[in-house]
Amino acid sequence: MSDVAPDPWGVLRNATRARVALGRAGDGLPTARELEFRAAHAAARDAVHTALDGDRVRAALTTAGVGLDVLEVHSAAPDRGTYLQRPDLGRRLADGTTLPGGTCDLALVIADGLSPRAVHEHAAGTVAAVLDRLPGWSVAPLVLAHQARVALGDPVGAALGAAIVVVLVGERPGLSSADSLGLYLTHDPRPGRADSERNCISNVRPPHGLGYAQAADTLVALLQAARQLGASGVVLKDEGIALPSGG
């Protein structure tokens, strides 16, 4: 018979990706938990500094069956270091950027944000799930944005003549999630829109966060409501069920 008592916190730890019930060894963490912390911290740093691979995203979109043309743009931040130090530059298009004008119901912008890893792993599946749920909507060419913040979707959406823009962006990595994708919806996009005029769906990262289907269902419901209301942000509420109900 083993003399080792079962860990009473095991059930809790297995139910969440958060760093809970880590235990202790003297005045510090157990060695295994310290090594896990260092690995998570390294993964978060790597996610922030990874370069967005446009070819990889295009290939993933093709594999996912997304048939839209893809355009690439850059923000006014010339490199990653500047982007991290000057958030304002990540909200503006680089000088001389041109995009095809027109009118459409929706523009989708895939932005590297603070985790290009999240874009590499989850953007294509999310886009495919969203488009499958929007028959009859006119959609602009996809825009892949480098060194981009959420607000870069405003000038992009305005240039494309989109009634609504959705920015799929890599979210700030945490110690339990370095690959989280966020979806930001803005009705009538144009430069100067405030964050209060957007709706956000965060933590798209199956299997530990939202799955593509659930995120797409929520986003499409918000898109339809925004089009009917003629607005987004604090005046637009997500009336859906946040978590699946128990059987």
Side-chain angles (χ1 to χ4, degrees):
M1 177 181 292
S2 174
D3 294 330
V4 178
D7 181 359
W9 293 100
V11 173
L12 178 60
R13 278 201 303 273
N14 290 336
T16 177
R17 298 286 292 177
R19 295 176 54 78
V20 297
L22 300 179
R24 67 178 185 178
D27 293 332
L29 292 174
T31 300
R33 303 304 178 207
E34 175 67 20
L35 293 176
E36 289 171 359
F37 170 84
R38 295 189 183 195
H41 186 259
R45 288 179 59 88
D46 287 347
V48 169
H49 292 284
T50 296
L52 180 64
D53 187 338
D55 290 338
R56 178 175 176 179
V57 176
R58 289 173 183 268
L61 289 167
T62 299
T63 299
V66 177
L68 295 176
D69 292 336
V70 179
L71 310 175
E72 292 197 46
V73 300
H74 292 258
S75 76
D79 53 56
R80 197 66 177 169
T82 304
Y83 168 81
L84 294 173
Q85 297 177 52
R86 291 283 307 275
D88 58 308
L89 296 181
R91 302 182 182 111
R92 308 197 319 251
L93 285 168
D95 291 341
T97 300
T98 59
L99 289 166
T103 58
C104 59
D105 296 322
L106 176 66
L108 297 172
V109 179
I110 300 175
D112 50 4
L114 290 170
S115 178
R117 173 183 166 184
V119 171
H120 294 156
E121 296 184 9
H122 304 304
T126 304
V127 169
V130 171
L131 294 178
D132 283 347
R133 289 161 171 77
L134 290 175
W137 282 55
S138 58
V139 183
L142 277 170
V143 175
L144 183 59
H146 297 256
Q147 315 297 9
R149 303 278 176 172
V150 171
L152 193 74
D154 296 336
V156 170
L160 294 171
I164 305 174
V165 66
V166 172
V167 179
L168 298 85
V169 63
E171 296 183 307
R172 185 187 307 275
L175 291 178
S176 60
S177 60
D179 61 338
S180 179
L181 189 73
L183 314 180
Y184 289 80
L185 178 159
T186 309
H187 183 272
D188 189 17
R190 60 181 185 273
R193 282 298 197 189
D195 288 342
S196 59
E197 297 175 292
R198 313 187 199 284
N199 295 85
C200 174
I201 301 167
S202 64
N203 200 35
V204 181
R205 49 185 294 268
H208 302 298
L210 284 181
Y212 305 142
Q214 186 180 1
D217 286 342
T218 302
L219 178 63
V220 168
L222 287 171
L223 286 169
Q224 293 169 339
R227 183 158 71 170
Q228 182 176 5
L229 183 63
S232 58
V234 295
V235 298
L236 176 63
K237 305 299 183 184
D238 176 12
E239 303 295 344
I241 299 174
L243 295 173
S245 58

